[in-house]
Amino acid sequence: MTEVEEILKNNSDYTLFSWSKQKGLSPIAVKRAKGVYLYDYNDKKYIDFSSGLMNVNIGHGNQRVTDAVVKQMQEVSYVTPSCVTKVRGELGKKLASVTPKGLNKALFTVCGATAIDNAIKLARLYTGRHKIIARYRAFHGASYGGLSAGGDPRKLPADSQQAPNFIHVEDPFCYRCPFGQTFGKCQYECISHIERVLEFEGPQNVAAILMEGESGSSGCIKYPPNYFKQLRALCDKHGILLVVDEVMSGFGRTGKWFGIDNHGVTPDIIATAKGLTAGYIPFGAVIVSDKIASHYDDIPLMLGLTYSAHSVACAAALEVLKIYEDENMISNASEMGKYIDKKVEQLKSIHPSIGDFRNTGLLGCIELVKNKTTKEPMAPFNAKPHEMEIMNKVAAKIKELGMYTFVRWNYIFIAPPLCINKEQIDEGLAIISEAIKIADEYVN
Ligand SMILES: Cc1ncc(COP(=O)(O)O)c(C=O)c1O
């Protein structure tokens, strides 16, 4: 047995894989990774066009993070959350310098789902209300709280046990408007719909409206202009908290520190993870407004985790935040995003199957269709395995040509590390363009 065969066998014999049947998988055995590239055991190079799961924002293999983590481990790896460390305080301070104005205190968690769960719990505790309004086309994590808050179909197999009091609303999905409207001619039915749902549910019972700062795995559905401002006004009118999920859209992914920074509003709570440590160590945070923070000056904050503010994770996060700044990664994300927009516009004119491209900074997704007029998707929402035949061929081609990216239903995600340059974007888009030729054959 070769080394790589043994690695694959050990993984498939003794470990379980997420979100898939266990037989017949052919995962890439990654030996090392550097910058925007992964390398397998045959030294085949893959350009990582989804930054892992949209988390490795600074790129792979940054020695500065390794050094910071090792140094912290040599001093102290773990203290209970009731003790403090230098690095925890420094991270809190650094984070407060990049978060929206007035959000200055963080509770550190272990991942995105634990950030979301704690944000939901806090919104309920703080307001004394129980309902949470969230979007159908959103994923907020795989814990019961996160799954129930999201509307993403990954919840459906487990939804008989879902957590209560989550109410879902339609998305402002302009390419496929659920209200049959056309952007520019519409009356923002996506907002009046939420107003109506609030009336039905009793706004006095609603603790929070929860939305991603910028939509991610549901298809990078862009919020129309002023959508968030209108949501903020609705929240203010009814004393509802605006909670933004910045797990995927945070830390430069959209060309700003946080996705919500693109919308000119200040949320009450941010839940974040992924880019906080750029995937080097699992970590997350719930960041709250000064008003919420001070509410707990004299009453207990009934939230907690063994690994809250883990000092090694804090060290990784602190270094990652410095790297974003020292290496100008966030302005690069904005600039490279514009370059991608221009290049995909050119691809649109040569590929009849590209129906739409939605992108903010480096959080983008191509939507493939069988017909640009009818917008019939190349694979439907929540596609069953047999409906994925064409997209599976596209995905296989992408991999064969040396790219790792996230392909879901009729979506191909373009969300590379923020350190990517124009040549690497050209290299990646050339692969995608070649693979999309397969889908072009099915256009009718
Ligand atoms: C928007 C959003 N929220 C929450 C999560 C959950 O994060 P985690 O997988 O770290 O629990 C994800 C994961 O992809 C996400 O995209």
Side-chain angles (χ1 to χ4, degrees), residues 329-386:
M329 289 209 180
I330 299 181
S331 56
N332 191 57
S334 168
E335 210 182 305
M336 291 305 110
K338 288 184 192 124
Y339 182 71
I340 290 176
D341 287 345
K342 199 174 78 188
K343 288 283 165 173
V344 176
E345 205 47 48
Q346 291 166 6
L347 291 185
K348 259 183 169 175
S349 62
I350 56 171
H351 290 289
S353 64
I354 300 182
D356 200 18
F357 178 58
R358 300 179 287 273
N359 182 41
T360 312
L362 293 175
L363 184 55
C365 142
I366 288 179
E367 179 162 346
L368 296 184
V369 293
K370 289 187 176 160
N371 184 302
K372 285 197 192 197
T373 311
T374 65
K375 301 181 183 173
E376 183 191 349
M378 200 56 74
F381 173 80
N382 200 15
K384 304 198 174 49
H386 72 273

Side-chain angles (χ1 to χ4, degrees), residues 53 111-114 116 139-142 212 217 245 247-248 273-274:
L53 284 175
C111 62
T114 46
I116 288 291
F139 181 69
H140 294 296
E212 289 155 284
S217 59
D245 179 340
V247 172
M248 190 177 279
K274 295 193 190 260

Side-chain angles (χ1 to χ4, degrees), residues 395-420:
K397 192 71 183 174
I398 284 175
K399 185 175 163 193
E400 179 199 318
L401 294 173
M403 169 177 287
Y404 177 84
T405 198
F406 190 44
V407 177
R408 188 181 196 214
W409 310 330
N410 62 330
Y411 300 152
I412 301 171
F413 285 84
I414 299 181
L418 316 187
C419 56
I420 197 159

Side-chain angles (χ1 to χ4, degrees), residues 23-45:
K23 259 193 172 168
L25 300 173
S26 56
I28 302 171
V30 180
K31 186 174 185 192
R32 61 192 172 90
K34 187 78 191 156
V36 299
Y37 297 105
L38 308 172
Y39 299 85
D40 71 11
Y41 280 77
N42 298 316
D43 244 358
K44 178 170 173 179
K45 187 167 95 168

Side-chain angles (χ1 to χ4, degrees), residues 139-341:
F139 181 69
H140 294 296
S143 58
Y144 268 123
L147 267 189
S148 309
D152 185 285
R154 273 172 275 187
K155 76 191 277 179
L156 297 179
D159 82 351
S160 60
Q161 301 99 38
Q162 69 185 303
N165 293 314
F166 291 97
I167 289 105
H168 293 98
V169 292
E170 288 276 10
D171 288 64
F173 192 178
C174 298
Y175 181 63
R176 299 179 183 279
C177 177
F179 308 99
Q181 301 294 326
T182 305
F183 182 70
K185 294 186 193 146
C186 73
Q187 306 294 318
Y188 273 64
E189 281 75 3
C190 46
I191 288 286
S192 47
H193 160 65
I194 298 178
E195 278 181 291
R196 255 188 333 274
V197 170
L198 277 176
E199 273 172 39
F200 289 133
E201 295 293 340
Q204 71 281 5
N205 289 337
V206 177
I209 295 182
L210 168 66
M211 302 253 164
E212 289 155 284
E214 211 58 74
S215 146
S217 59
S218 320
C220 304
I221 297 163
K222 288 189 93 149
Y223 297 106
N226 292 324
Y227 177 86
F228 254 115
K229 284 197 174 137
Q230 296 187 61
L231 270 191
R232 178 74 267 183
L234 269 183
C235 287
D236 291 344
K237 182 174 166 197
H238 298 293
I240 295 168
L241 299 179
L242 182 60
V243 179
V244 293
D245 179 340
E246 296 278 3
V247 172
M248 190 177 279
S249 55
F251 299 102
R253 176 56 51 206
T254 69
K256 306 256 187 208
W257 275 104
F258 293 94
I260 194 70
D261 296 338
N262 294 293
H263 301 289
V265 301
T266 306
D268 300 294
I269 300 179
I270 287 177
T272 190
K274 295 193 190 260
L276 174 58
T277 45
Y280 282 66
I281 298 253
F283 206 34
V286 180
I287 308 163
V288 302
S289 70
D290 296 342
K291 193 170 169 207
I292 296 175
S294 63
H295 181 76
Y296 292 97
D297 283 347
D298 298 310
I299 60 167
L301 177 69
M302 297 305 287
L303 304 172
L305 297 158
T306 298
Y307 296 113
S308 177
H310 193 284
S311 56
V312 179
C314 286
L318 184 59
E319 198 59 30
V320 164
L321 294 189
K322 290 178 187 163
I323 291 168
Y324 287 130
E325 285 181 337
D326 294 348
E327 301 186 20
N328 295 320
M329 289 209 180
I330 299 181
S331 56
N332 191 57
S334 168
E335 210 182 305
M336 291 305 110
K338 288 184 192 124
Y339 182 71
I340 290 176
D341 287 345

